[in-house]
Each structure stands twice: as structure tokens, then as C-alpha cells.
Amino acid sequence: MRLLFASLIIALFMVSSFSSCQKEVEGNLPVLIQSDSSFIDKIIALDTTLPAGADTTEKMFFSYDNVKRLSKSTQLYGTGFIASSVTDFLYAGNDTLPYKKISREVYTGLWDYTDTTYYTYSNGFIVKDSTITHDNTNSVIGAVVRQYSISGTTVSKGLRTYDFNGGNFVLQTSNNSLLTVTFTAGNLVSQTLVTGTNTFESVQAVYDTKPNPILKAFKTKYPEADTPDWQSWLVQKNNPSQIQYMEMGGPLETESYVYTYRGDGYPVKFIYSTTAGFQLSNKVLFFYKTI
């Protein structure tokens, strides 16, 4: 799977060149606080160290269907390597969890890709996803399959990647890992790699007690921290305030989020910092709408 937004992580680290919206957004904060809606309309990421006219690093927009399910997300990355990403979410009947999503990514001056992902759930968690990738000629390139088995705090994960050759999917890599994952009050609070390989060796997470608007939009919740779309601490019941993690072979890193909330507890912005190297964005703003 390519660099699919689907993550505030990308919102925080992709470079682009939108005209500044910082003064406009800050000036409108009282209106946002008075709003009674809890559905995200758009998210804007800023680098406040840049001058007006060059401080907006990404814009994300959200659309919903007539029963208030997320139907589309659109990310605009300006002049970065990825120009844009559009994801459609499809549902079966009255289900609240999507069974499929289709993501199209346009790369500046190069090519674009379409990823089609199918989901299988158990008790609200994804236990299997399979993604098939097409290029801009609609030719199949390959596929990725993730599969989980959950037993209490133990999560067994299988990850397989395939190339597409001669009309057949050919297995390229296969990896199995065992994780210990703890959820408390609807939030992933710890994760430890027991055996195998994984992006994270360990994760420790602290959350506020306020509702997370991102989870209200994105229902695809994984039983671990590493996912194809988001670092999953961003889509828990509450909002992350501090994350400490170690990637395999790496040092301990810390991410911090400091929020401003409106009257009903939903965040209108957060200030972001990380110890993990160069940081391109440090403020993220939430806009809401009534649907």
C-alpha cells in the first residue's frame, strides 16, 4: 500500500504550499466553539514557524452519506511528492463499518495508484484486510494481506505481500508476529512485540478524557498500533496526549499533543511536538459541520 493519508501523521509531515489560513482560522475559533456539530468537516495542518502565505501544510475534507457515515475523504498536499489522495468508503446495507474502500493517490509529475481494500471484522476490530493495487493504466501491481487473531491481550498478526505476474498473485514476503496489546476504556494504552517483526517494538499511550472526532468518522479500527492508514492511537475513543514508542532497532521517541476544546469537549486544535527528528507541522485545526 502506498502512502495513504489516512493518517494525521501524514498531515503532520507532508510538505505543501497552500496559501496561509492561520490568521483566518484563529479569528474564527469562537464560531467553532459555539457549534453543536461533532462531525469533522475539514482538518488543516500548519507550520507556525513559516510566514503567512506558506504556513498551511495540508488540507483534508470529509463527506458523509444520508445516514451520517463517512463516504469520502480528500487530502490535498500542494507541491509535495503526493499531490492528492481521495478515498471512497463503501457499506453493505445499513452496516456502520465499511466493507471496502477505494483510495486514489496522485503523485506530482509521476504516476498515480488505486488501492482497493476489503475488510473483515470481529467485535468491532479488523481481523483481516486485503489490498489490491492498480497503476494508472488499471494494471494490477500486487497485493498486501493482514490477518489478526485476538485472544485477550494477545494478538497474532500475519502479513503477506504479493506481486502480480502472469495473471497470478505470487507470494513475495510472509511475516508472523505475536503482540501483547492492552486496551483500557476504549483506548490502546500499551503494546509490546513478543516474537517476530513489526513496525513497533513497544508503545505506551496516554489519552485525555474527551471524545475523539476522528474515530467518529473513521470506523476501521485495528487491534494494534501499526496500521496501513493511521498510527492507531489517533483513532481511539479519546484523544492522545502523549505517546512513547520504539520502532524496531530505534530509540525511544515521544509525541505530545496539547488540545484546545470547545464547550462539549471536542477539540478545535492541538499543538504537536515530537522527538523523532525533523518536524514540518506543529499545529492541527479541526472544523466541524452539522449533517
Side-chain angles (χ1 to χ4, degrees):
M1 198 172 204
R2 299 300 181 271
L3 283 177
L4 176 63
F5 138 61
S7 169
L8 217 46
I9 294 300
I10 291 182
L12 295 171
F13 291 100
M14 292 300 298
V15 180
S16 55
S17 62
F18 292 100
S19 61
S20 171
C21 68
Q22 185 176 343
K23 294 180 183 297
E24 172 190 349
V25 169
E26 295 297 324
N28 284 341
L29 277 179
V31 176
L32 293 178
I33 293 171
Q34 292 170 8
S35 172
D36 62 356
S37 173
S38 56
F39 290 90
I40 295 178
D41 182 28
K42 60 184 174 181
I43 297 176
I44 296 177
L46 302 171
D47 180 355
T48 61
T49 67
L50 296 177
D55 58 352
T56 302
T57 57
E58 185 183 352
K59 296 181 181 180
M60 298 179 287
F61 303 90
F62 302 83
S63 300
Y64 303 85
D65 64 17
N66 60 0
V67 289
K68 302 183 179 182
R69 299 175 300 192
L70 182 67
S71 59
K72 185 187 296 287
S73 66
T74 302
Q75 298 78 47
L76 303 178
Y77 304 109
T79 59
F81 182 59
I82 304 178
S84 64
S85 177
V86 178
T87 302
D88 292 303
F89 298 86
L90 292 88
Y91 302 83
N94 294 323
D95 286 352
T96 59
L97 301 173
Y99 76 92
K100 181 170 73 170
K101 75 175 181 184
I102 302 172
S103 301
R104 296 170 296 281
E105 297 173 1
V106 178
Y107 288 69
T108 304
L110 295 173
W111 53 78
D112 59 18
Y113 287 96
T114 299
D115 286 342
T116 301
T117 302
Y118 296 87
Y119 297 110
T120 302
Y121 302 89
S122 178
N123 296 322
F125 286 104
I126 292 170
V127 291
K128 183 179 181 181
D129 68 27
S130 57
T131 299
I132 300 174
T133 300
H134 295 76
D135 65 16
N136 57 351
T137 68
N138 203 35
S139 298
V140 177
I141 297 175
V144 177
V145 177
R146 294 170 179 83
Q147 194 158 3
Y148 298 92
S149 176
I150 307 168
S151 178
T153 61
T154 300
V155 176
S156 178
K157 175 185 178 181
L159 175 63
R160 301 181 297 278
T161 64
Y162 298 84
D163 283 344
F164 192 74
N165 293 318
N168 297 299
F169 287 103
V170 180
L171 181 66
Q172 294 299 305
T173 65
S174 179
N175 173 57
N176 295 305
S177 57
L178 191 66
L179 310 167
T180 298
V181 182
T182 303
F183 286 84
T184 300
N187 299 309
L188 186 155
V189 296
S190 69
Q191 176 174 311
T192 303
L193 178 64
V194 179
T195 60
T197 60
N198 199 44
T199 299
F200 297 107
E201 288 189 37
S202 66
V203 176
Q204 295 291 324
V206 179
Y207 301 84
D208 63 16
T209 59
K210 310 296 186 181
N212 184 347
I214 298 174
L215 180 62
K216 188 165 187 174
F218 290 90
K219 303 295 188 182
T220 49
K221 191 171 183 178
Y222 283 81
E224 63 153 333
D226 187 31
T227 80
D229 301 333
W230 304 77
Q231 308 297 1
S232 71
W233 54 74
L234 292 168
V235 284
Q236 303 300 310
K237 179 180 178 181
N238 303 116
N239 306 286
S241 56
Q242 179 178 281
I243 309 297
Q244 291 188 310
Y245 63 87
M246 290 181 61
E247 295 185 350
M248 292 202 68
L252 181 67
E253 305 289 1
T254 301
E255 293 185 3
S256 297
Y257 305 77
V258 179
Y259 297 87
T260 298
Y261 306 96
R262 66 187 194 185
D264 60 359
Y266 279 86
V268 294
K269 70 176 179 180
F270 66 72
I271 304 300
Y272 171 81
S273 62
T274 179
T275 63
F278 186 63
Q279 180 178 332
L280 296 176
S281 296
N282 57 17
K283 179 186 287 188
V284 171
L285 305 165
F286 295 87
F287 292 77
Y288 298 90
K289 61 184 176 182
T290 300
I291 60 176

